[in-house]
Amino acid sequence: MRIHPLAVEALIVAALTGPDLEALTARELDVLKLIALGLSNLAIAERLYISKATRPTSTAR
């Protein structure tokens, strides 16, 4: 599975300029890792046993 170049760029910028990863909960880090792998909201929800509507809330910060 390949990650889209714009997603990679956004993650790098966020890592360099965004909040510290230590501020994220363990669950938020789990979601972030799956986003980085390119999984869809539905795939993330299924993988983490959460509702599809909950996933965007986990990345709102």
Side-chain angles (χ1 to χ4, degrees), residues 6-61:
L6 292 177
V8 173
E9 180 181 349
L11 288 169
I12 291 169
V13 169
L16 296 175
T17 62
D20 291 331
L21 291 180
E22 291 93 24
L24 299 177
T25 66
R27 189 62 155 185
E28 290 168 335
L29 287 171
D30 290 341
V31 171
L32 181 60
K33 289 173 188 174
L34 295 174
I35 292 170
L37 290 173
L39 274 65
S40 68
N41 285 350
L42 181 59
I44 291 170
E46 289 172 348
R47 179 91 50 106
L48 298 179
Y49 306 106
I50 58 177
S51 74
K52 183 179 175 185
T54 300
R55 204 293 298 165
T57 302
S58 297
T59 58
R61 296 207 276 156

